[in-house]
Amino acid sequence: MPITKSSVILAIESSCDETSAAVLKDNKVYANVIANQTIHEAYGGVVPELASRAHQQNIVPVVAQALAQAGVDKSEINAVAYTQGPGLLGSLLVGSSFAKSLALGLGIPLIEVNHMQAHVLAHFIDEPKPTFPFLCLTVSGGHTQIVRVDDYLQMNIIGETKDDAVGEAFDKTAKMLHLPYPGGPLVDKYAQTGDPLRFEFPISDMPDLDYSFSGIKTAVMYFLQRQTQKNPEFISENLHDICASVQYTLIKTLLQKLEKAATLTNISQIAIAGGVSANSGLRKMMTEKGLEHGWQTYIPAFEYCTDNAAMIAIAASFKLNTEDFAQNTSSPNPRLAF
Ligand code: KG4
Ligand code: ZN
């Protein structure tokens, strides 16, 4: 177990449009409160200025609810953790300012956490936990990475997207289909009763272990333009098959490189993480690939796929162990890489 001494960590996540606070006590999640910001739906995407204002409104009640749910008093907290980046600068600033003030006020250590590293480390919240080394396909709205994980805090990106993230491809497809934001989960929902082989979309041909998702986005756009010119009802009449076919192409693209990475590294412990790891098609195909290749696969619980503070807390627990504390002065870094 990573933590040997008794500890209570309060963690805050505010990198995008979810305000979340979690309480981790002796390595166990006692609360993981998430406030979703519905205001962005009207704009078809996250509006940074509105996101940071909503974080300002949510942060105090979300933290209070997390502490109450965990039955923990402020005086019992040993460390405050927060998402340092990557993310929207205004959103990060709300979480970091709150965390810094609280740590300063309570006179306890402050721990900075990299958001993408936390997505990977979410695998250490529940059983079964992966052993090192393992590969993690980290797929979210802003990132698509294949990460080689050699230890809790020792990881390297061995492949990544050179343009759009796969979550963005899901969300943009949804937008073109006139579905509300965030559309990824809706594409998933309609895909479940559609034919994945009905329409064919291109798989990008990137070198090494890298990805590209801008091509498929453009291909879907031109495809829909052509089809709706011929039949204005094309989208509504074929929604399920379009979603299934696009999703199938995106997952096939993701898994092709993941298989290549497993072969190149000779690692057979394979995990997925990030918002898109909630996708039912990806979860199913990962399980199938595991059986086909003899992989040990790790698929996170739904509550730890999309943005949440529990993953920030578990990542912070490893830093608490090594006393890797932040100076309580720096400003957030929106483009931080690990
Ligand atoms: O990790 P996350 O919550 O936030 C970022 O760090 O970006 O990921 C959000 C992304 C969005 O693009 C959202 O549409 C996508 O994850 N997503 C899904 C599903 N659930 C969330 N995409 C496809 N299928 C899902 N079920
Ligand atoms: Zn995320």
Side-chain angles (χ1 to χ4, degrees):
M1 277 310 221
I3 291 186
T4 46
K5 53 192 171 194
S6 175
S7 66
V8 177
I9 298 174
L10 172 72
I12 289 156
E13 153 63 32
S14 71
S15 64
C16 192
D17 60 340
E18 267 104 18
T19 319
S20 180
V23 176
L24 191 80
K25 208 167 155 185
D26 295 334
N27 235 21
K28 193 168 170 291
V29 176
Y30 277 70
N32 183 34
V33 177
I34 303 169
N36 295 302
Q37 302 179 0
T38 48
I39 190 162
H40 307 287
E41 276 171 25
Y43 301 91
V46 177
V47 183
E49 178 58 28
L50 295 179
S52 57
R53 281 191 214 176
H55 283 304
Q56 281 173 1
Q57 285 173 348
N58 292 342
I59 191 115
V60 172
V62 164
V63 169
Q65 197 184 331
L67 289 172
Q69 227 174 65
V72 161
D73 184 76
K74 280 198 294 287
S75 60
E76 295 172 76
I77 306 170
N78 301 121
V80 183
Y82 73 96
T83 306
Q84 188 193 18
L88 301 172
L89 184 57
S91 294
L92 291 166
L93 201 55
V94 178
S96 66
S97 308
F98 185 92
K100 286 172 184 179
S101 314
L102 187 63
L104 208 61
L106 295 172
I108 56 176
L110 180 71
I111 302 175
E112 296 171 339
V113 172
N114 178 288
H115 181 86
M116 299 313 292
Q117 213 167 36
H119 270 305
V120 175
L121 294 171
H123 282 283
F124 294 94
I125 296 174
D126 285 334
E127 298 294 340
K129 298 182 173 101
T131 53
F132 304 112
F134 68 92
L135 296 180
C136 188
L137 175 69
T138 314
V139 277
S140 70
H143 294 80
T144 304
Q145 304 174 334
I146 300 177
V147 184
R148 182 194 161 110
V149 189
D150 286 292
D151 207 337
Y152 298 112
L153 299 171
Q154 199 186 322
M155 39 184 103
N156 290 294
I157 299 164
I158 58 172
E160 64 182 330
T161 183
K162 293 298 173 194
D163 42 52
D164 297 340
V166 66
E168 200 179 331
F170 267 104
D171 294 337
K172 292 277 161 61
T173 297
K175 197 169 181 180
M176 289 186 261
L177 297 173
H178 315 302
L179 300 173
Y181 182 87
L186 288 171
V187 171
D188 183 359
K189 182 180 152 198
Y190 293 119
Q192 286 173 27
T193 44
D195 177 0
L197 303 179
R198 169 94 188 279
F199 305 112
E200 201 176 326
F201 296 104
I203 300 237
S204 71
D205 184 22
M206 290 294 283
D208 307 317
L209 297 174
D210 289 331
Y211 291 111
S212 164
F213 290 100
S214 58
I216 179 168
K217 210 175 65 183
T218 313
V220 172
M221 186 183 82
Y222 285 127
F223 168 77
L224 292 176
Q225 272 177 10
R226 272 196 316 274
Q227 297 298 331
T228 46
Q229 264 165 19
K230 285 189 265 173
N231 170 15
E233 302 307 319
F234 179 80
I235 291 179
S236 57
E237 286 172 6
N238 298 281
L239 184 63
H240 297 234
D241 289 348
I242 303 167
C243 288
S245 300
V246 174
Q247 177 171 299
Y248 176 75
T249 312
L250 293 173
I251 296 172
K252 207 169 155 190
T253 309
L254 288 172
L255 293 183
Q256 266 184 6
K257 291 296 171 93
L258 191 59
E259 284 175 292
K260 189 173 173 183
T263 307
L264 286 174
T265 57
N266 205 20
I267 293 175
S268 59
Q269 291 216 80
I270 318 282
I272 52 172
V276 180
S277 67
N279 183 270
S280 62
L282 176 60
R283 295 166 85 89
K284 188 164 165 272
M285 275 172 87
M286 264 295 286
T287 308
E288 287 168 9
K289 286 286 170 200
L291 293 171
E292 181 186 333
H293 298 298
W295 293 346
Q296 187 88 35
T297 54
Y298 298 91
I299 298 171
F302 282 110
E303 61 190 310
Y304 302 133
C305 290
T306 43
D307 289 348
N308 66 89
M311 69 182 194
I312 305 301
I314 197 82
S317 73
F318 302 118
K319 290 191 155 190
L320 180 65
N321 243 7
T322 56
E323 303 203 345
D324 182 359
F325 302 140
Q327 289 213 327
N328 204 344
T329 50
S330 64
S331 52
N333 181 351
R335 298 200 179 278
L336 194 81
F338 54 85

